[in-house]
Amino acid sequence: MAASMTVGTGAPPAPGDLSGDGSQGLLDPSPEPKQLPELIRIKRDGGRLSEADIRGFVAAVVNGSAQGAQIGAMLMAIRLQGMDLEETSVLTQALAQSGQQLEWPEAWHQQLVDKHSTGGVGDKVSLVLAPALAACGCKVPMISGRGLGHTGGTLDKLESIPGFNVTQSPEQMQALLEQAGCCIVGQSEQLVPADGILYAARDVTATVDSLPLITASILSKKLVEGLSALVIDVKFGGAAVFPNQEQARELARTLVGVGASLGLRVAAALTAMDKPLGRCVGNALEVEEALLCMDGAGPPDLRDLVTTLGGALLWLSGHAGTQAQGAARVAAALDDGSALGRFERMLAAQGVDPGLARALCSGSPAERRQLLPRAQEQEELLAPADGTVELVRALPLALVLHELGAGRSRAGEPLRLGVGAELLVDVGQRLRRGTPWLRVHRDGPALSGPQRRALQEALVLSDRAPFAPPSPFAELVLPPQQ
């Protein structure tokens, strides 16, 4: 896949789309606040909401005066009618200001960076990128999430390390940044409470895929971090929110444009999510693979994405003269052990026994596996025919692992942290019939017939000659004037 670069312009791609320039609205706030039913009607009928309207709605969400049905109705109206750039910027700012703001020492101002991903199968980039950026002189206050979909989120993966504590106060976060240069924590009730309420409501009202709501949710959490620069990994493909690159680009341009309007330098990378990232899927297995990447080894696609995203961030924040120089610095941090050292410091600072943190970061892959949760059984699947691996579809693999306990269907559900799968083959590789291609780590009984069929159908073979697998990175959308 050829990589390319585009620059966000802020020009409206389509009427009613949230990338519009918003030049006609938000001028004269109403002297008296409108009632919620009137606000819902305005948006339902395709009207534009003033700044006072949007802030009134967010205030009602936070103080509890908005009923659940009213919140759902407004979310659906926004989903169907859209918001322009200015409306989306105001919504983002109102969500960010609904709770506590993080404050850092003045000297850190240019050092604060972060990364966000729209989510994918086997996506363990944050576990590697945060300590690698810290090793390059950045401060990374990463507020992350849990998985509600196929497999666990970043916090779930880290919690497969015994003792790791994702609950940290703003004061504790500052201490973590002083000690390790990075922290990965959960969203507290004090930070962006309005987004927490809307996020839960979106999940049960079929409004998860609304561009303005996605944008406001992502950027509001990042605004409170007081960042110098942010890179967002927008996934597209068979196992992503957006099936094609064009839809992902629309979200990317919106994120970049809204970020610029709020004084935040945002770059958005478009990356393919048809196959799993790396070779491992599942919480503890992904921690093992992240450690391998920080050894300077591991799957090339994971390393490529870590260095590409990290290089863009170092360039955007002024820590590197070019993206290529930034990527080289991140690669050096993976190869010289400094990223692994920062990861060890972060583990110990966030509750992991220092001896365990040291053993995890200095041990062999076999030793690490003994220290992390393990599934009770392993089961291998064999290639059904000769052929070249064209693709391993991520979605059916993720759905089966979800059934086996690697993911959750509702918030608070416990996960089986050792459950997962290892790909034993690479895309582009020639396979002989009967060769093991997938190792499933499971706690329960043997795979059912439908589960085995679903997994075997995830393996796509062709007759063509072996080939080098493409990079998942496709395109970088940059802020104006960058």
Side-chain angles (χ1 to χ4, degrees):
M1 182 183 299
S4 63
M5 183 184 299
T6 51
V7 179
T9 62
D17 187 78
L18 62 118
S19 299
D21 65 8
S23 59
Q24 302 167 19
L26 306 181
L27 297 176
D28 298 314
S30 304
E32 291 187 21
K34 301 184 184 80
Q35 297 298 306
L36 279 179
E38 187 180 353
L39 298 182
I40 295 166
R41 180 189 56 74
I42 291 170
K43 184 48 70 179
R44 180 200 69 188
D45 295 344
R48 300 179 71 260
L49 296 172
S50 72
E51 178 170 352
D53 293 340
I54 293 169
R55 290 188 178 278
F57 169 66
V58 172
V61 168
V62 176
N63 67 29
S65 61
Q67 300 173 30
Q70 292 174 318
I71 294 173
M74 178 62 91
L75 293 176
M76 186 58 75
I78 293 170
R79 165 65 181 79
L80 296 176
Q81 297 293 351
M83 280 181 151
D84 65 25
L85 184 76
E86 200 168 351
E87 284 177 296
T88 309
S89 297
V90 171
L91 178 61
T92 303
Q93 204 163 35
L95 294 180
Q97 293 169 348
S98 67
Q100 187 176 350
Q101 311 294 298
L102 295 174
E103 294 181 8
W104 312 111
E106 187 65 34
W108 290 6
H109 180 65
Q110 282 300 114
Q111 297 173 272
L112 290 154
V113 300
D114 198 2
K115 164 258 176 193
H116 178 85
S117 170
T118 57
V121 179
D123 185 359
K124 70 280 293 177
V125 167
S126 292
L127 277 65
V128 182
L129 186 56
L133 288 167
C136 293
C138 296
K139 303 289 185 187
V140 191
M142 192 175 283
I143 299 174
S144 198
R146 298 188 183 279
L148 250 188
H150 319 309
T151 52
T154 297
L155 299 182
D156 299 306
K157 292 164 193 175
L158 284 166
E159 284 184 336
S160 70
I161 302 171
F164 192 89
N165 184 5
V166 303
T167 305
Q168 304 287 338
S169 70
E171 294 74 26
Q172 289 170 317
M173 287 178 69
Q174 181 165 330
L176 290 166
L177 294 184
E178 288 167 349
Q179 293 169 51
C182 60
C183 61
I184 303 179
V185 305
Q187 183 178 350
S188 73
E189 291 180 4
Q190 287 76 41
L191 298 174
V192 205
D195 176 64
I197 297 167
L198 294 186
Y199 191 92
R202 284 167 55 210
D203 202 43
V204 295
T205 55
T207 54
V208 168
D209 62 349
S210 163
L211 262 65
L213 296 177
I214 292 172
T215 300
S217 179
I218 291 173
L219 292 183
S220 62
K221 291 192 279 283
K222 300 308 177 184
L223 272 181
V224 301
E225 293 177 9
L227 302 174
S228 164
L230 169 68
V231 68
I232 300 174
D233 183 358
V234 182
K235 305 286 190 190
F236 65 91
V241 175
F242 300 102
N244 60 60
Q245 194 170 336
E246 290 68 33
Q247 288 174 294
R249 188 183 296 116
E250 189 180 358
L251 173 61
R253 285 177 169 159
T254 302
L255 288 162
V256 170
V258 171
S261 76
L262 296 172
L264 178 59
R265 275 178 299 205
V266 181
L270 304 186
T271 67
M273 183 36 69
D274 292 301
K275 64 173 282 292
L277 183 62
R279 282 183 158 214
C280 292
V281 182
N283 299 289
L285 291 175
E286 291 188 45
V287 170
E288 290 181 33
E289 190 162 73
L291 287 164
L292 206 56
C293 187
M294 287 183 276
D295 287 335
D301 60 342
L302 174 59
R303 180 184 171 96
D304 179 54
L305 206 49
V306 169
T307 55
T308 300
L309 296 176
L313 261 181
L314 290 180
W315 175 56
L316 268 184
S317 60
H319 286 76
T322 65
Q323 285 173 262
Q325 289 172 6
R329 285 191 63 191
V330 174
L334 300 178
D335 293 336
D336 66 15
S338 57
L340 195 60
R342 293 287 180 161
F343 189 70
E344 181 182 333
R345 277 197 239 174
M346 182 182 79
L347 295 186
Q350 289 194 235
V352 177
D353 178 87
L356 173 59
R358 194 172 309 111
L360 270 176
C361 293
S362 61
S364 68
E367 290 167 338
R368 287 166 177 166
R369 184 154 292 186
Q370 301 298 318
L371 299 171
L372 294 169
R374 286 179 295 158
Q376 295 165 7
E377 305 288 342
Q378 296 181 15
E379 186 172 343
E380 290 185 351
L381 273 65
L382 309 180
D386 292 355
T388 299
V389 181
E390 197 69 32
L391 178 65
V392 177
R393 291 195 182 100
L395 187 58
L397 178 62
L399 293 174
V400 170
L401 293 178
H402 182 269
E403 290 177 10
L404 297 178
R408 59 171 65 84
S409 300
R410 59 182 60 196
E413 237 177 357
L415 296 177
R416 295 180 181 271
L417 295 170
V419 166
E422 291 175 88
L423 291 175
L424 307 177
V425 297
D426 290 318
V427 168
Q429 176 184 334
R430 190 72 182 169
L431 265 191
R432 304 281 307 194
R433 182 182 177 188
T435 305
W437 73 272
L438 184 72
R439 182 179 297 128
V440 178
H441 296 244
R442 56 177 173 76
D443 280 344
L447 294 169
S448 68
Q451 287 172 337
R452 289 184 73 86
R453 279 194 298 277
L455 291 175
Q456 290 288 29
E457 288 169 6
L459 177 66
V460 181
L461 299 175
S462 73
D463 294 330
R464 70 164 161 157
F467 60 93
S471 165
F473 173 73
E475 183 180 338
L476 188 67
V477 178
L478 295 171
Q481 303 166 343
Q482 191 67 44

